[in-house]
């Protein structure tokens, strides 16, 4: 391929990629720089409270499952109780 054709196309592709990155909607991570960014969803107080509730509920379910397994094991070891 000719360098006169390939290198300008490569530069144009790089510029297009940078331009797209500047205007593409951001994810849920850190805030983008000022003219493009907004407060990430995960940083809002409501979302953090919801994530905390989900984590606590998941931990309760794990604890209940472990307790159920312990009860079953105890009944298998000492069925007379």
């Amino acid at each position: 391929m000719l360098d006169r054709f390939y290198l300008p196309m490569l530069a144009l592709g790089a510029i297009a990629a940078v331009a797209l990155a500047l205007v593409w909607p951001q994810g849920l991570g850190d805030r983008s720089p000022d003219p493009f960014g907004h407060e990430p969803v995960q940083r809002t107080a409501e979302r953090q409270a919801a994530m905390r509730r989900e984590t606590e509920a998941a931990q309760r379910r794990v604890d209940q499952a472990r307790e159920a397994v312990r009860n079953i094991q105890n009944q298998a070891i000492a069925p007379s109780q």
Side-chain angles (χ1 to χ4, degrees), residues 3-26:
D3 287 344
R4 289 182 183 179
F5 178 73
Y6 176 70
L7 292 178
M9 289 299 128
L10 185 64
L12 185 62
I15 291 170
V18 170
L20 182 63
L22 289 174
V23 297
W24 192 261
Q26 72 181 35

Side-chain angles (χ1 to χ4, degrees), residues 2 4 6-8 11 14 18 21 23 30 32 35-36 50 53-54 56-57 61 64 67 76-78 81:
L2 295 175
R4 289 182 183 179
Y6 176 70
L7 292 178
V18 170
V23 297
D30 286 333
S32 293
F36 307 108
R53 285 191 306 270
E54 291 171 6
E56 291 168 355
R61 286 191 301 270
Q64 288 173 351
E67 186 63 31
I77 292 172
Q81 292 181 351

Side-chain angles (χ1 to χ4, degrees), residues 23-44:
V23 297
W24 192 261
Q26 72 181 35
L28 298 176
D30 286 333
R31 189 178 191 284
S32 293
D34 260 339
F36 307 108
H38 56 72
E39 186 67 25
V41 174
Q42 290 181 335
R43 298 279 174 106
T44 61

